[in-house]
């Protein structure tokens, strides 16, 4: 498959530097699309606990790497997830696992954002959940559709983050613009 692709773009699949490329591509793609073979229950495991308070929890700067389904090129950036517990909390390391679960597929950033929010809702039934993702899309940057440094922001706001402007503002001021600052 990769061999055909190499030939189609005018390469010689037999030249030395490309001999093992199909093998390497297959391995890389298996990793980058690992999310298809996993479930939310598997990645969360025993990570849900009883809540002791109801203060906002914000997990910032979760790195994500995904592949756009329109061009099969990478997009990557940072995800920020916040929630207000009701009766359950989630171990902090699990948020990164959830982001990976949905990122390691062919995706659009909007869908990952929604899926992460849905997952937190499903697991914790919190008073509110917010997800903000900031991504750089190589399908735009490499093809010169946009300036290299422009990023795409997507968000999903549920419960109190949707109904209470102060809660939303507290989250947004805590997380916004962290990608560009690096
Ligand atoms: Zn694309």
């Amino acid at each position: 498959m990769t061999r055909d692709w190499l030939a189609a773009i005018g390469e010689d699949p037999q030249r030395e530097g490309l001999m093992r490329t199909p093998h390497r591509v297959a391995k890389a793609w298996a990793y980058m699309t690992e999310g298809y073979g996993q479930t939310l229950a598997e990645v969360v495991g025993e990570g849900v606990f009883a809540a002791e308070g109801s203060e906002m929890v914000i997990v910032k700067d979760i790195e994500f790497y995904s592949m756009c389904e329109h061009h099969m090129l990478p997009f990557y950036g940072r995800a920020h997830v916040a929630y207000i517990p009701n009766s359950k909390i989630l171990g902090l390391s699990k948020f990164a696992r959830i982001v990976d679960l949905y990122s390691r597929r062919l995706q659009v950033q909007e869908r990952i954002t929604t899926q992460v929010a849905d997952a937190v809702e499903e697991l914790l039934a919190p008073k509110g959940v917010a997800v903000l993702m900031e991504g750089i899309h190589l399908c735009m940057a490499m093809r010169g559709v946009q300036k290299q440094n422009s990023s795409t922001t997507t968000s999903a706001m549920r419960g109190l983050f949707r109904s209470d402007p102060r809660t939303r503002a507290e989250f947004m001021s805590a997380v916004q613009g962290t990608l560009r600052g690096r």
Side-chain angles (χ1 to χ4, degrees):
M1 188 174 60
T2 301
R3 227 173 293 275
D4 292 343
W5 193 359
L6 287 168
I9 62 171
E11 265 291 357
D12 170 14
Q14 301 303 325
R15 74 175 171 85
E16 202 187 339
L18 296 178
M19 285 294 278
R20 305 236 334 129
T21 295
H23 170 75
R24 285 187 291 257
V25 169
K27 273 186 83 174
W29 273 87
Y31 182 80
M32 294 183 302
T33 57
E34 212 171 47
Y36 288 117
Q38 298 172 329
T39 66
L40 181 60
E42 277 166 14
V43 302
V44 167
E46 308 283 290
V48 177
F49 307 97
E52 287 173 21
S54 59
E55 296 300 318
M56 185 188 301
V57 178
I58 305 180
V59 185
K60 277 167 59 164
D61 294 330
I62 303 167
E63 273 184 48
F64 74 89
Y65 295 90
S66 190
M67 304 294 282
C68 96
E69 67 184 22
H70 302 129
H71 304 92
M72 295 170 76
L73 287 171
F75 63 99
Y76 65 94
R78 296 183 186 258
H80 315 287
V81 183
Y83 70 104
I84 298 171
N86 194 359
S87 59
K88 291 182 269 188
I89 57 171
L90 184 63
L92 294 176
S93 67
K94 302 299 182 185
F95 290 93
R97 303 287 314 276
I98 293 172
V99 169
D100 282 347
L101 171 69
Y102 297 114
S103 297
R104 290 186 187 157
R105 305 170 184 212
L106 292 184
Q107 274 286 17
V108 296
Q109 186 177 314
E110 294 86 339
R111 188 187 306 122
I112 304 176
T113 308
T114 305
Q115 286 175 325
V116 172
D118 287 346
V120 175
E121 268 200 316
E122 182 186 327
L123 290 167
L124 305 178
K127 291 175 181 162
V129 55
V131 180
L132 187 91
M133 296 184 74
E134 298 168 285
I136 290 173
H137 293 245
L138 293 193
C139 62
M140 292 197 284
M142 290 178 75
R143 298 186 309 139
V145 179
Q146 284 200 347
K147 293 215 188 306
Q148 297 262 341
N149 288 327
S150 77
S151 65
T152 301
T153 302
T154 50
S155 66
M157 302 286 163
R158 308 280 170 76
L160 286 177
F161 290 93
R162 178 179 282 275
S163 62
D164 179 7
R166 278 182 313 173
T167 301
R168 187 166 59 243
E170 183 183 339
F171 168 67
M172 293 302 274
S173 72
V175 302
Q176 214 166 24
T178 58
L179 179 67
R180 236 159 310 195
R182 277 157 217 272

